[in-house]
Amino acid sequence: MSYTGPESEPPRQRRPRRGPLVVTLAALVAGALAGWLAYETAGGGGGHADAAPSPSPSAHASASASSGADGKAAAPLRGKVVVIDPGHNPDNFRHPAEINRQVDIGSNRKECDTTGTATDDGYAEASFTLDVAHRLRALLERQGATVRLTHDDKGPDWGPCVTERAAIGNKAHADAAISIHADGAPAGDRGFHVILPGAVHAGAADTRPIVEPSRDLGKRVAGSFLRVTGEPPSNYIGHGTALDTRTDLGGLNLSTVPKVFIECGNMRDTKDAALLTSGTWRQKAAQGISEGIVSFLRES
């Protein structure tokens, strides 16, 4: 998700939070940071991480479905609904009039959708997000979850609009929803971050009921993504926590179910681009996201 696009604003570094979130992350940071340092020692990554979210408490246990006579043990997410929103659409660039149409996101009006970003070699963010979404769907369905995508290879031809993306999760009464992205920040900025909904109560938007569960979901996804992929927390957003709170994204503002965005890396950075274009790494990305979602759903 490029920060020059209309569905986002330029990132602004925020002062470190003094509330419960920072206290919790500070208490949990040691384990995850130790794991990251071990990864760096082994030669992986190479990014900047001042602090990091901890791995999900049950991430290892939830990596794959358990076997046994008990149906719930064999399919721990049976009865749970997850909505995956692959950011953008590979054909958005063919429909500028449609995606530039203004829509109401509660706090203000924005374009329906954007084209997204791409690596310097032309690998599109929209292709990346669909690929990871397909991998993630397979992992979650293996756990017994009902999974719905906001769009897929078969359509729609463009979009859907950010308002419709949120509505799909709401209508499905999703137990968790996640929007998958990759960033378009300047080269040298690298790492991943998870975007949490801030409190918005304006127009059709009221995120107040989902702020806390979304924060829990986001922390679990960030922790497992860090552990599984080795991708460092963003060195340009979130002060090393891999977490950012925003109130300007329609996909979050209009959601009535727990939802987060994940920026899996920066497509404009050569180190991150090498990972994002690797099918092996994209499978790790899907696994890391899956484990965070499974951890959240099993304890919610």
Side-chain angles (χ1 to χ4, degrees), residues 5-270:
E7 171 58 4
S8 56
E9 294 178 347
R12 298 183 297 275
Q13 287 286 1
R14 297 171 173 80
R15 296 180 181 177
R17 302 179 186 277
R18 302 296 182 184
L21 177 58
V22 168
V23 174
T24 302
L25 288 174
L28 295 174
V29 69
L33 186 54
W36 168 241
L37 290 174
Y39 176 81
E40 286 287 276
T41 302
H48 169 78
D50 297 323
S54 66
S56 303
S58 58
H60 291 285
S62 62
S64 60
S66 305
S67 60
D70 189 331
K72 187 173 182 180
L77 299 188
R78 182 171 296 161
K80 300 291 188 180
V81 177
V82 179
V83 168
I84 303 171
D85 176 29
H88 313 288
N89 184 313
D91 289 325
N92 270 357
F93 74 96
R94 302 180 189 276
H95 302 272
E98 290 88 347
I99 67 170
N100 287 326
R101 177 171 58 87
Q102 295 282 307
V103 295
D104 185 356
I105 66 166
S107 56
N108 57 291
R109 296 182 69 81
K110 279 194 168 182
E111 281 80 356
C112 157
D113 203 6
T114 63
T115 57
T117 187
T119 66
D120 290 341
D121 290 334
Y123 181 54
E125 178 187 1
S127 297
F128 168 83
T129 64
L130 261 181
D131 181 87
V132 174
H134 290 157
R135 297 170 187 268
L136 178 58
R137 176 174 60 187
L139 291 168
L140 293 172
E141 288 181 340
R142 201 173 301 160
Q143 297 271 3
T146 297
V147 182
R148 299 179 184 175
L149 269 60
T150 58
H151 68 98
D152 209 338
D153 294 322
K154 296 180 180 180
D157 293 336
W158 54 271
C161 293
V162 294
T163 50
E164 297 171 65
R165 292 172 189 264
I168 290 169
N170 297 344
K171 291 176 182 177
H173 302 289
D175 296 286
I178 188 161
S179 187
I180 300 171
H181 289 266
D183 210 354
D189 290 346
R190 70 166 304 208
F192 82 96
H193 65 280
V194 175
I195 304 175
L196 315 174
V200 177
H201 186 211
D206 186 0
T207 62
R208 293 174 297 177
I210 68 163
V211 165
E212 289 307 319
S214 296
R215 180 174 297 180
D216 184 25
L217 171 62
K219 287 166 60 179
R220 291 174 188 269
V221 168
S224 59
F225 192 87
L226 169 66
R227 178 179 55 77
V228 174
T229 67
E231 174 76 348
S234 170
N235 63 5
Y236 60 100
I237 288 176
H239 300 283
T241 66
L243 300 173
D244 185 39
T245 300
R246 292 175 62 173
T247 58
D248 64 309
L249 297 175
L252 295 179
N253 285 8
L254 298 175
S255 182
T256 59
V257 300
K259 184 175 182 179
V260 298
F261 280 40
I262 182 167
E263 298 279 5
C264 296
N266 178 20
M267 301 198 101
R268 294 299 190 177
D269 177 79
T270 55

